[in-house]
Amino acid sequence: YLIYTRLTKAKQLLRTTANPISQIALDVGIHNIGHFITLFKRYEGITPGAYRARQSADGRGEAEPKA
């Protein structure tokens, strides 16, 4: 549950700010950037950078959830 909550907040920050991914990881309470990227990719299927790029290219909100 905690990881889900942190990643949900991270997705919001990726969509709405230009903060570096390392800062977003810290903001959501994950202090190891490599671990943050690994978790994000495991739950979302793409890296945080790719998620941000997809969101800005789509111009839409939330990406399709991954099972």
Side-chain angles (χ1 to χ4, degrees), residues 2-66:
L2 185 57
I3 292 171
Y4 173 80
T5 302
R6 288 178 173 173
L7 292 179
T8 299
K9 179 64 175 175
K11 289 190 295 184
Q12 177 200 1
L13 293 171
L14 287 166
R15 287 191 309 268
T16 60
T17 71
N19 293 348
I21 292 169
S22 58
Q23 182 60 50
I24 290 173
L26 291 172
D27 289 346
V28 299
I30 301 173
H31 299 281
N32 181 318
I33 183 68
H35 185 60
F36 172 71
I37 292 170
T38 300
L39 284 173
F40 196 96
K41 189 169 183 179
R42 182 182 304 150
Y43 283 85
E44 296 301 317
I46 57 175
T47 63
Y51 179 88
R52 176 179 270 167
R54 179 182 289 176
Q55 295 306 301
S56 62
D58 286 351
R60 296 182 301 171
E62 190 83 11
E64 292 296 319
K66 299 288 178 183

